[in-house]
Amino acid sequence: MRYAASIIITTMVLLGCQQDRSMEPIDVNDPVDQILVRFIQASGGREAIAQVTTRIVKGIWKDDRPYRGKAITSPFTVWAHKDGRWRYESEYEVYGVDSIGGWWLEKGYVRDDSAQIRSKSAFLFVPQSPLHIDRWFQDRKLGTATLINGRSAKSIKTDRDDTYYALWIDDSSGTVIRIGSYWTLSDYQRFDGIQFPMRIEQSRKGGSIVLDVESVIQNQVIPDALLRRPEVVKNKG
């Protein structure tokens, strides 16, 4: 029991639940809150989102490697729990967040990677993230408006660099269609009433990394072992 309790407490600290203000009453006169209400509705609505406890996403990862030779592809799977634990795995990369913190498997070693806790991947894959947006994006302010792939969108500035973390919300659909300047989300489909992007593109100079989602399964039991960092010979200090 002590071990289980310690996991719960540690996880709450990792997710910043003590500072999570996203469930507080909405200020109807605040333009940022108005956009976020629209985002929650577009994502599926509060009640439907709150019913999703786990999410398993599978698809194909593609890296065109413009400066490193031939393009490579790999199947990928993401296992994610509403408490913030999640794991991404492909033939080339394995990383995520467990009850200890963020981690990355690299050349047979597991290194700590605290950036994964508030990463864009965590925001996309962890269930219920629209209801707890303050865990990932704090000090939100209304930014600029522009056209993204022909769609009118408004940006929400956050406590982090706009180049990487500004949220761009589509005026028409209410969905997030870009995060920062380099992550584009498109081809949304509904799963159990919840919208999820079927294409996640991470652009860079001369090329891109693309996640083509093939399936999204929600509320299926995920073994705890999949939500822990891999057991390897030793941790890399």
Side-chain angles (χ1 to χ4, degrees):
M1 288 293 293
R2 289 182 180 177
Y3 178 73
S6 67
I7 288 179
I8 294 172
I9 292 170
T10 304
T11 303
M12 290 178 66
V13 172
L14 288 173
L15 294 177
C17 292
Q18 295 172 335
Q19 298 180 357
D20 189 358
R21 299 180 295 276
S22 53
M23 298 299 285
E24 291 184 357
I26 295 295
D27 182 353
V28 295
N29 296 315
D30 185 332
V32 173
D33 278 358
Q34 292 172 4
I35 293 173
L36 292 180
V37 167
R38 183 93 190 286
F39 163 58
I40 290 172
Q41 292 172 340
S43 298
R46 284 181 176 270
E47 288 188 11
I49 295 170
Q51 296 302 312
V52 181
T53 59
T54 65
R55 177 176 289 142
I56 302 172
V57 180
K58 295 185 178 183
I60 300 297
W61 170 88
K62 305 174 183 177
D63 185 345
D64 56 19
R65 296 163 56 93
Y67 304 114
R68 300 169 63 184
K70 186 178 179 181
I72 55 177
T73 65
S74 168
F76 78 86
T77 303
V78 179
W79 299 268
H81 192 281
K82 70 172 184 178
D83 65 12
R85 293 176 297 154
W86 60 278
R87 175 185 183 133
Y88 169 94
E89 185 168 325
S90 72
E91 295 175 7
Y92 299 94
E93 296 177 315
V94 183
Y95 54 87
V97 173
D98 62 10
S99 59
I100 300 173
W103 58 270
W104 192 293
L105 179 63
E106 185 175 52
K107 296 180 180 179
Y109 294 90
V110 173
R111 63 175 172 85
D112 291 334
D113 187 4
S114 61
Q116 295 302 328
I117 298 172
R118 293 184 67 197
S119 67
K120 293 183 281 288
S121 295
F123 174 67
L124 291 177
F125 293 118
V126 170
Q128 301 187 15
S129 61
L131 302 183
H132 305 282
I133 197 168
D134 204 52
R135 295 176 181 172
W136 290 275
F137 304 102
Q138 300 171 6
D139 300 330
R140 297 177 297 275
K141 300 178 179 64
L142 186 63
T144 58
T146 191
L147 288 176
I148 298 176
N149 296 329
R151 303 182 70 90
S152 176
K154 293 183 178 66
S155 69
I156 296 177
K157 295 174 173 288
T158 72
D159 60 312
R160 295 185 286 177
D161 188 344
D162 292 347
T163 303
Y164 301 100
Y165 294 102
L167 288 172
W168 290 88
I169 312 292
D170 179 27
D171 286 341
S172 177
S173 68
T175 57
V176 174
I177 58 175
R178 197 169 75 187
I179 304 177
S181 299
Y182 304 108
W183 280 49
T184 302
L185 316 178
S186 60
D187 300 337
Y188 276 85
Q189 292 186 21
R190 287 190 179 274
F191 300 89
D192 303 317
I194 306 300
Q195 292 242 58
F196 194 85
M198 301 302 285
R199 183 178 175 86
I200 303 166
E201 182 173 359
Q202 307 166 31
S203 63
R204 64 183 176 217
K205 185 177 180 181
S208 64
I209 294 174
V210 175
L211 298 181
D212 281 327
V213 175
E214 296 180 339
S215 68
V216 177
I217 301 172
Q218 298 178 142
N219 292 329
Q220 180 172 302
V221 175
I222 299 175
D224 282 342
L226 284 174
L227 297 174
R228 292 196 296 264
R229 62 190 65 198
E231 294 184 5
V232 293
V233 176
K234 61 179 178 178
N235 287 341
K236 187 175 182 180

